[in-house]
Amino acid sequence: MEYLDERDINLYTDGSSYSGPRRGGMGVRFVTTDEAGVEHGEDFPLSGYDGAANQQMELAAPIEALKAVVRGSAPVQKRDYRRIVVFTDSEYVVNGYDGARFSWQSNRWMTRDGNPVAHAVLWK
């Protein structure tokens, strides 16, 4: 069982894509825990995108959620918490995170194979 810290904003994110016609969607749920350990969750509506692939939506979901926190349009206020923890089921996002932070920028957004990083705009 996972215990959430009451000092954190917990973001649960997911992205998806429907192939015919191609349309991407995303889901975000904000979860906080009060001092008694009771979890409070609220879904955050996000619109989809025509022509988007699944990996784009997996990246866009946490990006849009973080933007909402910064803008103050999220159902929680960042000043009340010490950090934001992102949970995702996307191996693409989890495995690409360090590359985006440490390698790709210095490699001019090219992979080890010499190919351009897919969805570099979103990773940036």
Side-chain angles (χ1 to χ4, degrees):
M1 175 173 233
E2 179 182 324
Y3 294 97
L4 303 178
D5 192 313
E6 73 261 7
R7 299 169 295 172
D8 298 343
I9 297 172
N10 301 284
L11 295 177
Y12 291 83
T13 67
D14 198 13
S16 66
S17 181
Y18 181 69
S19 61
R22 183 169 296 281
R23 175 128 176 102
M26 355 176 215
V28 173
R29 183 166 181 85
F30 285 86
V31 178
T32 56
T33 306
D34 63 23
E35 292 176 4
V38 177
E39 290 182 14
H40 303 277
E42 188 166 340
D43 294 333
F44 188 71
L46 293 167
S47 54
Y49 297 90
D50 288 332
N54 188 62
Q55 291 177 337
Q56 289 172 294
M57 294 294 90
E58 292 286 4
L59 278 168
I63 291 168
E64 292 302 318
L66 292 168
K67 284 181 180 179
V69 172
V70 170
R71 283 191 308 259
S73 60
V76 295
Q77 297 299 313
K78 66 180 176 180
R79 70 176 176 273
D80 298 334
Y81 300 93
R82 69 178 176 145
R83 69 181 182 164
I84 300 171
V85 180
V86 177
F87 295 89
T88 179
D89 65 347
S90 172
E91 287 185 32
Y92 178 69
V93 173
V94 171
N95 294 337
Y97 180 72
D98 283 340
R101 287 185 60 207
F102 302 115
S103 304
W104 294 335
Q105 185 174 8
S106 61
N107 293 340
R108 294 192 168 118
W109 293 92
M110 302 297 272
T111 65
R112 281 181 259 170
D113 306 346
N115 297 316
V117 171
H119 313 300
V121 171
L122 291 171
W123 283 112
K124 290 176 187 178

